[in-house]
């Protein structure tokens, strides 16, 4: 395959053993744009051989596959701490930390803030996409007021979870940083401004002038549940209203303050547009949690009622992203809600938002549930080999494992656990709807009486999951019945 040469990037990105030039970012993701700009700036300034990138945990986790320079991978939230070590050990190098807003704004805030306060000589690129991207769109400190995320399904309520954190403005209170700016990549003009700001950050590090923070507002179409264009619009209209763009400080160019008094005055000046916008800001409308996951928001379930006679039942659903494994878990949780049970659904993702491994835990109980995580499931449904290998040994005695027939059963489940091999993928293909393999698995759950829930509630939850695609409701109901009949016969 002929590849286009990209300045500063490796020629191949051999992730997962693949010989590919495709990054793992979703279409329209701000990280992808910023990754390209950083590579270009580093190469154009002739700094590749002197640059140490400190990579985060988050959607930016794989930058070491992309940027052709030295890399250190830091634990989640620790990039600024690792960068401190790197720039002190190698004062001749150009050290750049790359962090998300969950990473820098939440778990790693003190690391980043103290490094900035000490004036460590590295540049910190801070990607603000208003949520935790890699883990599936949870609230971050930067989440906007009213913004719906998977952990704020009714919109962020400041009374409960505080106001959005303005990192540039907070860091603007510190004396040591020599450069603090906020840019965006929501359109071409902003991308060009962003590139200029990244170059400025590299320049400051090349000349060892001191600590620099560059916040970049970045769209996350997948977790916003929007098209790339809509996500960029959201970034421009909603995020910029909360997080105004601009250079807050460039000490060398006389932007920002020289004295402590001027500094205090200036910081109140730069922060005032943000506070003003807080007062008048309308609550933005977002895609709902259900829309994000294709969840059955049509289920009109009654509130849970306590019934201590109903024991806790724990489920794990696992496979590749795209196999509908998360929706299958939601169906079971929603069916439980229809029975007035307490139910929790908890997704878990690999680093890729699309195509990587995905699993979810569901806990159903007659009494309030302490933890949504499931280490030892009663029921395990696996659609691929890696998840079978990983989870089968954990199933509780008396439990059930349902695995797709394409998965080689090289490992036996623990004693006292029933194993069903179900040709879910093949049946869905034979029925002419390959995407419905998860519906086949739901049929298996019903056929083997594995959920402890009423068949009609599982069916109602399945149909409700297609509320946004009504043309698929009857099709899936039919597939469910046909698959179940076939499984009962076999
Ligand atoms: C110490 C630790 N805590 C939590 C996690 C789980 N985790 C991985 S990435 C992530 C959030 C990433 O969000 P963000 O930093 O905003 O980056 P994004 O994915 O949005 O780019 C979390 C909580 C972890 N890997 N390590």
């Amino acid at each position: 395959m002929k590849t286009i040469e990209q300045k500063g990037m490796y020629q191949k990105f051999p992730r997962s053993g693949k010989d590919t030039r495709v990054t793992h970012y979703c279409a329209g993701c701000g990280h992808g744009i910023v990754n390209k700009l950083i590579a270009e700036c580093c190469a154009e300034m002739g700094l590749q051989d002197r640059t140490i990138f400190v990579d985060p945990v988050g959607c930016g986790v794989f930058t070491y596959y992309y940027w052709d320079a030295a890399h250190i991978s830091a634990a989640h939230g620790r990039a600024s701490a690792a960068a401190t070590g790197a720039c002190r050990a190698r004062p001749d190098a150009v050290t750049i930390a790359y962090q998300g807003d969950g990473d820098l704004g939440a778990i790693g805030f003190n690391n980043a803030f103290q490094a900035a306060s000490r004036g460590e000589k590295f540049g910190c690129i801070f990607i603000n996409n208003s949520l935790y991207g890699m883990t599936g769109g949870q609230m971050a400190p930067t989440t906007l007021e009213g913004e719906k995320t998977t952990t704020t399904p009714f919109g962020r309520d400041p009374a409960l979870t505080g106001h959005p954190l303005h990192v540039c403005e907070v860091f603007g209170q510190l004396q040591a940083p020599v450069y603090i700016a906020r840019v965006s990549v929501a359109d071409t003009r902003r991308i060009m401004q962003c590139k200029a700001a990244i170059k400025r950050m590299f320049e400051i590090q090349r000349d060892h002038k001191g600590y620099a923070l560059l916040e970049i507002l970045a769209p996350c179409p997948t977790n916003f549940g929007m098209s790339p264009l809509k996500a960029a619009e959201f970034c421009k209209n909603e995020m910029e209203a909360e997080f105004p763009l601009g250079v807050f400080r460039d000490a060398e160019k006389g932007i920002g303050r020289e004295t402590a008094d001027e500094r205090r005055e200036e910081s109140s000046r730069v922060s005032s547009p943000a506070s003003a916008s807080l007062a008048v800001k309308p609550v933005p409308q977002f895609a709902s949690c259900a829309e994000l996951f294709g969840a059955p928001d049509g289920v009109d379930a009654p509130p849970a009622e306590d019934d201590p006679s109903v024991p806790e039942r724990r489920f794990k659903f696992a496979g590749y992203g795209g196999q509908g494994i998360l929706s299958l878990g939601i169906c079971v949780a929603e069916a439980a809600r229809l029975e007035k049970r307490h139910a929790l659904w908890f997704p878990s993702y690999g680093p890729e938002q699309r195509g990587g491994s995905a699993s979810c835990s569901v806990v159903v109980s007659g009494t309030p549930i302490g933890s949504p995580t499931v280490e030892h499931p009663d029921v395990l449904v696996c659609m691929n080999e890696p998840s079978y290998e990983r989870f089968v040994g954990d199933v509780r005695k008396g439990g059930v494992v349902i695995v797709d027939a394409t998965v080689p059963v090289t490992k036996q489940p623990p004693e006292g656990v029933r194993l069903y091999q179900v040709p879910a993928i093949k049946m869905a293909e034979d029925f002419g709807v390959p995407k419905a393999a998860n519906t086949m698995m739901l049929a298996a759950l019903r056929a083997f009486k594995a959920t402890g829930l009423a068949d009609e509630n599982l069916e109602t939850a399945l149909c409700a999951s297609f509320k946004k695609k009504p043309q698929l409701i009857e099709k899936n109901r039919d597939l469910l019945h046909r698959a179940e009949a076939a499984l009962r016969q076999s």
Side-chain angles (χ1 to χ4, degrees):
M1 188 179 70
K2 204 164 172 237
T3 56
I4 301 162
E5 208 165 304
Q6 164 67 53
K7 277 180 275 182
M9 295 270 202
Y10 289 115
Q11 281 308 294
K12 300 249 167 70
F13 310 148
R15 271 188 313 118
S16 321
K18 288 182 218 137
D19 208 11
T20 173
R21 278 266 314 165
V22 180
T23 69
H24 69 294
Y25 297 121
C26 307
C29 168
H31 277 291
I33 302 167
V34 177
N35 276 207
K36 188 166 176 247
L37 297 178
I38 290 174
E40 276 176 5
C41 292
C42 187
E44 283 167 12
M45 294 174 71
L47 294 173
Q48 276 174 273
D49 291 343
R50 281 177 56 194
T51 298
I52 303 170
F53 287 111
V54 184
D55 308 317
V57 171
C59 283
V61 67
F62 286 147
T63 51
Y64 53 83
Y65 280 119
Y66 309 145
W67 301 329
D68 184 357
H71 287 261
I72 297 172
S73 283
H76 186 49
R78 306 298 185 268
S80 285
T84 297
C87 72
R88 287 187 181 198
R90 291 298 303 265
D92 53 322
V94 166
T95 302
I96 306 286
Y98 187 86
Q99 303 191 246
D101 45 4
D103 182 310
L104 186 147
I107 187 171
F109 185 82
N110 195 36
N111 279 242
F113 190 66
Q114 300 294 349
S117 178
R118 294 190 303 267
E120 301 291 348
K121 291 197 170 72
F122 70 87
C124 180
I125 292 184
F126 165 51
I127 306 294
N128 176 357
N129 56 13
S130 85
L131 40 71
Y132 285 26
M134 190 184 103
T135 42
Q138 295 85 357
M139 189 194 85
T142 48
T143 298
L144 305 184
E145 201 175 315
E147 181 171 353
K148 287 184 179 171
T149 68
T150 52
T151 45
T152 55
F154 306 110
R156 182 177 188 173
D157 175 0
L160 214 61
T161 52
H163 292 274
L165 180 68
H166 298 94
V167 172
C168 282
E169 288 82 345
V170 173
F171 280 40
Q173 303 296 313
L174 298 171
Q175 297 194 15
V178 296
Y179 182 74
I180 301 175
R182 184 184 289 123
V183 291
S184 159
V185 287
D187 62 16
T188 314
R189 184 171 62 86
R190 286 169 170 77
I191 291 172
M192 298 323 290
Q193 286 168 348
C194 176
K195 184 167 179 183
I198 294 172
K199 274 214 160 136
R200 181 73 189 124
M201 165 169 281
F202 269 106
E203 223 168 64
I204 289 166
Q205 300 315 315
R206 179 196 62 198
D207 301 340
H208 306 301
K209 297 285 185 198
Y211 178 87
L213 173 75
L214 180 61
E215 176 173 344
I216 303 177
L217 303 186
C220 176
T222 300
N223 286 304
F224 293 170
M226 296 174 189
S227 69
L229 283 178
K230 285 244 162 68
E233 282 304 306
F234 169 75
C235 195
K236 260 193 285 191
N237 300 334
E238 309 292 345
M239 288 176 70
E240 276 181 35
E242 184 71 52
F243 302 114
L245 306 185
V247 178
F248 293 77
R249 187 181 305 173
D250 189 336
E252 222 178 10
K253 294 189 174 169
I255 302 170
R257 289 96 26 219
E258 296 307 316
T259 67
D261 280 352
E262 282 168 358
R263 194 170 288 123
R264 271 189 282 278
E265 202 178 299
E266 176 70 7
S267 68
S268 64
R269 190 183 66 75
V270 294
S271 60
S272 59
S275 345
S277 73
L278 262 181
V280 294
K281 200 170 65 64
V283 174
Q285 292 304 307
F286 291 84
S288 71
C289 168
E291 280 166 340
L292 290 175
F293 294 105
D297 60 350
V299 173
D300 197 8
E305 278 175 13
D306 286 358
D307 181 351
S309 71
V310 177
E312 196 165 270
R313 194 182 288 235
R314 306 181 147 247
F315 301 79
K316 177 84 85 183
F317 301 89
Y320 290 123
Q323 285 183 316
I325 211 77
L326 302 184
S327 310
L328 181 60
I330 290 173
C331 277
V332 171
E334 290 292 341
R337 290 206 314 131
L338 287 167
E339 295 186 19
K340 301 185 187 173
R341 301 288 172 245
H342 296 271
L344 290 180
W345 170 84
F346 186 58
S348 160
Y349 308 87
E352 291 106 329
Q353 275 282 321
R354 288 170 196 278
S357 319
S359 70
C360 64
S361 303
V362 172
V363 186
V364 174
S365 177
T367 47
I369 299 162
S371 165
T373 58
V374 171
E375 279 174 19
H376 297 287
D378 300 289
V379 179
L380 172 67
V381 176
C382 286
M383 299 277 273
N384 69 359
E385 189 177 351
S387 54
Y388 178 78
E389 297 274 317
R390 181 165 166 210
F391 296 121
V392 71
D394 299 334
V395 180
R396 270 194 202 164
K397 200 171 175 183
V400 174
V401 177
I402 303 176
V403 61
D404 189 80
T406 54
V407 174
V409 176
T410 47
K411 209 168 163 182
Q412 286 303 317
E415 228 183 273
V417 171
R418 272 175 301 153
L419 173 72
Y420 296 101
Q421 289 171 277
V422 172
I425 294 174
K426 174 148 192 332
M427 277 194 322
E429 279 168 5
D430 291 350
F431 287 141
V433 192
K435 278 189 159 180
N438 57 349
T439 301
M440 306 294 110
M441 282 300 192
L442 189 66
L445 285 166
R446 290 209 319 179
F448 307 140
K449 303 262 168 254
T451 62
L453 299 166
D455 282 355
E456 61 270 24
N457 288 332
L458 289 164
E459 190 166 325
T460 305
L462 173 74
C463 294
S465 74
F466 290 104
K467 197 186 162 208
K468 298 235 159 48
K469 296 177 186 159
Q471 72 282 12
L472 297 180
I473 292 178
E474 284 316 313
K475 179 104 207 150
N476 273 273
R477 195 199 297 275
D478 179 47
L479 289 174
L480 180 73
H481 290 165
R482 281 161 66 191
E484 202 177 331
L487 288 168
R488 283 190 200 279
Q489 269 171 19
S490 61

